[in-house]
Amino acid sequence: MTTQDWTPQGDTWTLAGRTFASRLLVGTGKYPSLEVQREAILESHAEIVTVAVRRVDLSGKTGATVLDALDRTRHTLLPNTAGCYSVDEAVRTARLAREVGMGDLIKLEVIGDPQTLFPDNQATLAAAKILVAEGFSVLPYCSDDPIICLKLAEAGCVAVMPLGAPIGSGLGIRNPYNLRIILEQAKVPVLVDAGVGTASDAAIALELGCTAVLMNTAIASAQQPVAMAIAMRQAVEAGRLAFRAGRMEKRLYANASSPITGLIG
């Protein structure tokens, strides 16, 4: 293999028929300013950027919004249904996103509890079936439950997005073993969504074999969001490269790096 084969450009992935090199997806909320948001997103090298439809003034009456900080020629917009607590709310929000020209790619969120922001898996599955039937390319945010991930994929979702930890918690990957099962069963891309706090969390997600990772708070709420965006980009690239390279076998006892046979006197 050539050096190019090991670069992100030589290791692309496909989502809903579109090809991407970056395995880092980012959000647009919580930044201290639109200027910081714009620079952080650019430095992240993310190609897919998610926007909460219900938190954007689509009328254009309130001045600049998060959408104004995005270059639609280089970023694929991924509208999401954040803030929805029922099937009807989520479906209606997805339809609104498509009607205003955001496209048919949708990150589906149906929240079950306002305190933990854990997803309502059954409502998510029900909403996903409706949206898939209407021609949406659905990426559902769900628990790190192998069964619901399998059902969502079977329902026609183009990817599954199990949480690493509660939204905005920064706790990192809490259950790598469930993620490993999901990855073994998955026939669609697996994107870790929620819970990443720092660069090592992102690297772990990719080292496990996840297709990509989506984050917002970890970058936007960092003391230096632009610097953290760079760190996350590099961590995702390192984690993916480590996964492809194949880590050494873990051993209980030491194993000398240098051979012990043929030693001089």
Side-chain angles (χ1 to χ4, degrees), residues 201-248:
D201 301 330
I204 288 170
L206 273 294
E207 287 173 6
L208 286 169
C210 293
T211 308
V213 60
L214 187 151
M215 65 186 71
N216 187 120
T217 308
I219 295 176
S221 295
Q223 295 181 36
Q224 299 293 333
V226 176
M228 186 59 80
I230 297 170
M232 290 298 188
R233 181 234 304 167
Q234 294 176 344
V236 166
E237 292 176 358
R240 174 62 182 177
L241 189 57
F243 170 75
R244 294 185 67 205
R247 66 157 293 142
M248 62 167 284

Side-chain angles (χ1 to χ4, degrees), residues 109-197:
E109 296 184 32
V110 186
I111 301 301
D113 173 54
Q115 182 174 11
T116 64
L117 298 181
F118 282 137
D120 182 332
N121 287 328
Q122 297 309 310
T124 299
L125 180 59
K129 289 179 179 179
I130 294 171
L131 293 174
V132 167
E134 294 184 6
F136 284 90
S137 296
V138 180
L139 291 81
Y141 161 68
C142 59
S143 299
D144 56 345
D145 174 2
I147 303 304
I148 191 63
C149 286
L150 198 58
K151 289 182 177 180
L152 286 163
E154 290 173 346
C157 293
V158 296
V160 291
M161 305 183 76
L163 56 80
I167 292 174
S169 68
L171 291 173
I173 307 299
R174 294 293 85 200
N175 196 337
Y177 306 104
N178 271 19
L179 284 178
R180 286 177 61 182
I181 296 172
I182 292 168
L183 288 163
E184 286 180 5
Q185 297 178 340
K187 293 181 174 60
V188 296
V190 177
L191 287 66
V192 165
D193 179 19
V196 169

Side-chain angles (χ1 to χ4, degrees), residues 241-264:
L241 189 57
F243 170 75
R244 294 185 67 205
R247 66 157 293 142
M248 62 167 284
E249 178 187 355
K250 292 182 180 180
R251 301 184 178 95
L252 182 60
Y253 298 104
N255 184 33
S257 299
S258 301
I260 59 175
T261 58
L263 296 178
I264 299 175

Side-chain angles (χ1 to χ4, degrees), residues 34 55-66 68:
L34 289 180
R55 294 174 185 149
V56 177
D57 179 9
L58 300 174
S59 68
K61 296 179 180 179
T62 59
T65 71
V66 293
D68 297 303

